[in-house]
Every structure is written in C-alpha cells, then in structure tokens.
C-alpha cells in the first residue's frame, strides 16, 4: 500500500491577485506560499523515504516468493540469500533443509561451501599484505613455489603474484584441475607443470585457474609465521564478525550446522504441464559426501561460510568497514585487469551484460547501466553467487546445497531490478553517472584507449 497521501500534497497559496495587494501583503502572501511549498516538499520527501523503505520490504517479499518457487520447481533441498543495502543487512531469507531427509532446517548460521567464491577472500588477503609491504604483487611465483617450472626455461619466472590474482598467468584454463580428483599430493601435481608452456605471455590472455590460484597460499604464509586459515581469521573473518566462516574440510566436518551437498540423479517426466504449457519434471537429488578435492587449493575453493557471514562481507566490500578493507584496497581489487569476453554469453545474463573483466579475485561486470562486482562458485553439491554494486549501494548473495543452474537466473533477475532499492545518495550519483556515461558514449573507441 502506498504511503503517499493526498493530504501531503498541499496546494500552494494562489498569488494571482498579488498586484492588488500592498507590498507588505504581497510579501506576506509570498512568504506563506514559500512556507507551504517547503512544507509540502518536506512531507513529500518524507513520504518518498517511507515508500523507499516499504519498497524494500515489497521487493524482498517478491524476491522470496520467486526464489521459493524456483527452489521448489527444481526440488533443491535448501538455500539462503541475503540483501545488503548500504551498511545494513536489508533481508536474509532461508529455505528448505540442510539435506533431502529434512533432518534440520537451513537457518542464518548454516554453513555452506563457497567453492570459487573463496577467491575474493584470497585476493583480498594477498593484496592487503602487499599494502602492508609484507610481500609484493610483482614477486615471481617461483619465489614462493620454487619447484614450479614450465617446459621452456625462464617462462615460470615471468609469472607474478598479480598474474595469479587476475588469471592472467598465460596458462591454459583450468590447468590440471582434473588431478585434484586424484590422490596426488600438491607437490606431485605442481611437478607436472614442467610438461607445459603458456598459451600466451602474462597479462595477454585470460585463463581461469584453480591449482595456480592455490600458489597464493605459500606466498601468504611466507609473509609471517601463520597459516593461511589463521591469517584469514585474524585479518578478515574476526574483524568483520564472520562468526561461522572457516577454511578447510576439517572445520566443515566438525560443524553440526552444515548444509550437505547434493548432485542430480535424474529428471522424471510427470506428464503434467504448467500454465505456460511447459512440461513439468521432477528432479531427484542424491546426497554425497563432502569431497576433499578442491579443499587442496584453499585460496581457490577452501572457504566455508553462512549467509550471515556473506552479508557482513558484502557490507565491508561496499566500503563501510574502511578500518578492515581500506578504500585503496577495494580499488585495487576491483580495477579491471583483463577482459573476459566469454562471460558476455552467460545464459540469463547475456541480455544485461555490456562488458566483463576480471580484477583481483573479483569479476567486474557492466550490468545494464551500472557495474557490479561479482563472483560465482561451483563445487560438487554446492552453488554460490555473490555480488555488489558500489553505484547502487546494494549487495546480494545466495547459497544452495545442490548443483543447479537455477542460481544463475535468480542472481541475474535480482540485479536486473536492484536499482529499485538503491541507497538514496548512491541512486542520485548513479543517475548523474548514467547521464555522463550517455554523453560520453560518442567517444567510445575514438578518443580514449582501453588500458585494461
């Protein structure tokens, strides 16, 4: 229900007969008119503010219904999402259960695997240490992983920490990820790299990595005598009140409130159709054991967290915890480093994406008229999505305990309407920026070079 009442839009005093009044009467009428006009504007502004608050509730109610419908449609056992607005958690919603047996409901503290949503944490910690001069992003990776060698002598030494952070090492995409499923030590896996040469020079092409992202761990741990998990806890999790966040399979297994992974077993035709005439299928999921495979590369995929943890993480990345994540640090992390054209073809996203890059641990998308900083994660039995828009002052994260692409549509639909809940000042800045961008479009590809 709208909270703008007709009584708030009070008529301004008519001054049509002002010429027949004395100067004093004229000034009095003018003052009255200005006073009433100001009163009306103040009431209207107050009403708009109330409407904005109400629209957030309405927005979330609509989103919750859509998410619930989607999870039920695909029989996804459980999930949770969070909306952050400015420096506040605007909403957290939980759905379903930690497993298909429905032994326990998902709640605000239920821990999920983040998979590749772990990468922003690793990038943040590495870049933070660089700002503290504990390491340099220009250090060659061989300084910390000396047994990492490539087929051609000297090629490995060209790859620096900054290239690992931005997936611009020149290595073939997902190099040796298949070996994570083998019972090999990481030293043995790294030993295989001497059979390969890069497909391009560093910074010249994009190639997403998991094993190579794991090379950040020895660099981080060399900066001081603490483990990667201890440093992340000390510098990120604890200061940001991420009470349920952790690193590693051991902590996950020892927590009683963890979502269990599910993989799709089969789709069954029900013989029924929905209102649009589409065939209705039933999805059968099978619970599986948590695999240690990608926990071997903790910076790439080793973080566990609850939806509340991610909400606090988003608030910090939106700039509201500068004592932990400084503006300079956030700027470094989100500066586009390499274009990722393949992302422009993502299903459910492609009609909105105008450009796509990778920064340090984050994807940087131009989504319609505003940028979003984003990452997704997928590991056996889990999916995760997280993103935020500095222009809108809004963040969103969603976690599910099943390998379903339904998460892609949920996230893209959220961002397609996120400007409706923009923080007021950000919304004003966003409108100004959009107008400036529209005026500048005629110069694209002409006056300015793209240095990313």
């Amino acid at each position: 229900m709208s909270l703008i009442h007709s009584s708030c839009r009070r008529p301004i005093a008519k001054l049509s007969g002002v010429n027949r009044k004395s100067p004093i009467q004229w000034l009095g009428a003018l003052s009255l008119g200005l006073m009433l006009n100001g009163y009306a504007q103040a009431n209207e502004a107050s009403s708009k503010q109330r409407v904005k608050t109400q629209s957030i509730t309405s927005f979330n109610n609509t989103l919750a219904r859509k998410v619930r419908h989607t999870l039920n449609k695909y029989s996804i056992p459980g999930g949770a999402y969070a909306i952050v607005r400015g420096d506040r958690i605007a909403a957290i919603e939980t759905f379903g259960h930690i497993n298909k047996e429905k032994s326990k409901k998902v709640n605000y503290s239920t821990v999920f695997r983040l998979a590749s949503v772990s990468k922003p944490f690793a990038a943040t910690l590495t870049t933070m240490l660089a700002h503290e001069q504990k390491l340099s992003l220009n250090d060659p990776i061989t300084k910390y992983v000396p047994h990492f060698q490539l087929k051609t002598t000297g090629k490995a030494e060209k790859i620096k920490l900054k290239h690992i952070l931005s997936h611009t090492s020149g290595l073939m995409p997902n190099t040796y990820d298949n070996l994570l499923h083998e019972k090999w030590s990481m030293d043995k896996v790294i030993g295989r790299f001497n059979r390969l040469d890069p497909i391009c020079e560093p910074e010249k092409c994009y190639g997403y990595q998991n094993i190579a992202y794991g090379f950040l761990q020895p660099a981080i741990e060399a900066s001081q005598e603490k483990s990667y998990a201890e440093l992340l806890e000390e510098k990120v999790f604890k200061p940001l009140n991420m009470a349920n966040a952790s690193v590693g399979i051991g902590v996950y297994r020892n927590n009683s409130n963890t979502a269990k992974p599910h993989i799709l077993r089969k789709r069954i035709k029900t013989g029924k159709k929905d209102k649009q005439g589409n065939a209705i299928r039933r999805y059968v999921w099978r619970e599986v054991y948590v695999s240690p495979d990608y926990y071997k590369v903790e910076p790439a995929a080793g973080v566990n967290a609850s939806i509340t943890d991610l909400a606090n993480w988003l608030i910090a990345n939106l700039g509201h915890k500068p004592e932990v994540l400084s503006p300079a640090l956030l700027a470094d992390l989100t500066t586009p480093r390499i274009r990722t054209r393949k992302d422009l073809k993502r299903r459910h996203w492609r009609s909105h994406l105008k450009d796509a890059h990778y920064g340090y641990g984050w994807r940087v998308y131009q989504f319609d008229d505003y940028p979003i900083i984003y990452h997704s994660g997928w590991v056996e039995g889990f999916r995760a999505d997280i993103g935020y828009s500095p222009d809108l002052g809004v963040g969103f994260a969603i976690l599910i305990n099943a390998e379903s692409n339904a998460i892609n549509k949920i996230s893209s639909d959220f961002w397609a309407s996120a400007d409706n809940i923009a923080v007021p000042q950000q919304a004003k800045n966003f409108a100004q920026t959009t107008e400036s961008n529209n005026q500048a479009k005629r110069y694209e590809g002409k006056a300015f070079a793209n240095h990313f």
Side-chain angles (χ1 to χ4, degrees):
M1 181 181 71
S2 173
L3 294 180
I4 295 181
H5 300 292
S6 59
S7 59
C8 292
R9 296 192 174 97
R10 303 188 180 211
I12 298 174
K14 294 182 179 180
L15 303 180
S16 58
V18 72
N19 290 331
R20 295 192 295 271
K21 297 181 184 292
S22 68
I24 294 176
Q25 289 175 316
W26 187 91
L27 288 172
L30 180 61
S31 298
L32 177 62
L34 291 173
M35 180 183 72
L36 289 175
N37 185 41
Y39 181 74
Q41 289 179 343
N43 273 275
E44 187 169 352
S46 177
S47 296
K48 284 182 177 178
Q49 184 60 45
R50 291 197 298 271
V51 169
K52 178 63 72 173
T53 302
Q54 177 63 35
S55 70
I56 294 169
T57 301
S58 176
F59 181 95
N60 180 57
N61 289 342
T62 300
L63 179 65
R65 285 194 298 270
K66 288 181 178 178
V67 172
R68 186 177 296 107
H69 172 77
T70 300
L71 299 188
N72 288 338
K73 177 180 178 180
Y74 294 101
S75 304
I76 294 169
Y81 75 71
I83 301 172
V84 164
R85 189 168 177 268
D87 62 352
R88 296 286 186 271
I89 299 174
I92 289 182
E93 300 289 346
T94 62
F95 307 87
H97 299 79
I98 66 169
N99 54 20
K100 61 177 295 185
E101 283 72 33
K102 301 182 178 182
S103 62
K104 185 176 182 178
K105 288 185 176 181
V106 171
N107 59 37
Y108 297 168
S109 302
T110 299
V111 171
F112 291 74
R113 287 194 67 181
L114 300 190
S116 284
V117 171
S118 303
K119 290 181 173 72
F121 292 96
T124 297
L125 183 56
T126 305
T127 310
M128 186 185 292
L129 293 171
H131 282 220
E132 296 172 1
Q133 298 184 336
K134 301 288 179 61
L135 53 78
S136 171
L137 300 186
N138 285 313
D139 287 341
I141 196 63
T142 51
K143 177 179 178 179
Y144 305 103
V145 191
H147 56 297
F148 168 66
Q149 292 297 322
L150 296 172
K151 187 176 180 179
T152 300
T153 302
K155 291 286 187 180
E157 287 73 15
K158 290 185 177 181
I159 301 175
K160 301 176 180 180
L161 286 178
K162 64 182 181 181
H163 302 140
I164 300 297
L165 288 170
S166 57
H167 298 293
T168 57
S169 64
L171 296 171
M172 180 176 63
N174 299 93
T175 302
Y176 289 136
D177 277 5
N178 59 306
L179 296 182
L180 289 171
H181 304 293
E182 304 296 332
K183 294 181 179 180
W184 286 25
S185 68
M186 282 307 299
D187 283 344
K188 186 176 180 180
V189 173
I190 294 169
R192 301 277 288 201
F193 278 83
N194 64 9
R195 304 181 180 195
L196 303 175
D197 264 340
I199 59 175
C200 72
E201 291 296 312
E203 296 186 5
K204 297 300 181 182
C205 65
Y206 169 77
Y208 191 83
Q209 305 295 327
N210 285 301
I211 291 177
Y213 225 81
F215 294 171
L216 296 173
Q217 184 167 348
I220 290 168
E221 293 177 343
S223 69
Q224 46 207 288
E225 294 182 358
K226 294 179 181 178
S227 70
Y228 174 68
E230 288 171 336
L231 284 169
L232 209 51
E233 173 69 25
E234 175 188 309
K235 290 182 169 291
V236 178
F237 295 161
K238 190 172 182 179
L240 298 183
N241 194 29
M242 298 175 64
N244 303 297
S246 63
V247 177
I249 190 170
V251 187
Y252 176 90
R253 285 175 171 169
N254 291 332
N255 189 328
S256 61
N257 187 16
T258 52
K260 311 308 177 189
H262 297 81
I263 61 174
L264 187 63
R265 183 183 172 191
K266 58 183 176 180
R267 300 179 183 88
I268 300 174
K269 293 182 179 180
T270 63
K272 300 178 181 179
K273 293 185 177 181
D274 61 20
K275 294 180 180 179
Q276 288 73 40
N278 301 313
I280 297 176
R281 291 179 173 82
R282 185 164 63 88
Y283 294 77
V284 180
W285 299 92
R286 177 168 62 90
E287 183 179 335
V288 295
Y289 290 107
V290 176
S291 169
D293 299 351
Y294 280 86
Y295 276 119
K296 297 175 185 176
V297 281
E298 292 180 347
V303 175
N304 318 299
S306 69
I307 197 63
T308 307
D309 296 328
L310 291 189
N312 288 329
W313 173 238
L314 283 169
I315 289 171
N317 277 276
L318 279 166
H320 298 290
K321 294 290 183 179
E323 70 280 10
V324 183
L325 306 185
S326 70
L329 173 62
L330 294 174
D332 262 3
L333 293 168
T334 59
T335 296
R337 308 288 171 175
I338 189 77
R339 182 167 274 113
T340 56
R341 291 182 177 86
K342 188 177 179 181
D343 285 2
L344 300 177
K345 300 178 181 179
R346 290 186 62 185
R347 187 182 180 192
H348 303 303
W349 290 72
R350 54 191 172 219
S351 62
H352 300 286
L353 292 182
K354 310 305 181 188
D355 209 351
H357 292 78
Y358 205 94
Y360 286 162
W362 286 104
R363 298 188 184 279
V364 183
Y365 286 165
Q366 183 64 28
F367 190 98
D368 291 333
D369 291 325
Y370 47 88
I372 62 170
I373 313 303
Y374 168 84
H375 218 289
S376 62
W378 185 342
V379 73
E380 187 177 34
F382 293 97
R383 292 292 301 270
D385 257 27
I386 188 169
Y388 68 95
S389 171
D391 286 27
L392 304 181
V394 171
F396 178 69
I398 181 168
L399 303 168
I400 59 174
N401 59 349
E403 293 182 37
S404 172
N405 285 326
I407 197 171
N408 294 335
K409 181 166 172 44
I410 292 171
S411 288
S412 63
D413 284 353
F414 172 87
W415 287 111
S417 56
D419 56 331
N420 292 322
I421 56 168
V423 175
Q425 186 57 43
Q426 267 87 353
K428 179 180 178 182
N429 295 340
F430 163 61
Q432 293 171 345
T433 301
T434 301
E435 178 60 25
S436 297
N437 288 342
N438 289 338
Q439 292 174 0
K441 280 183 179 179
R442 63 181 179 274
Y443 298 111
E444 288 183 359
K446 298 177 182 178
F448 305 105
N450 187 330
H451 299 288
F452 299 138

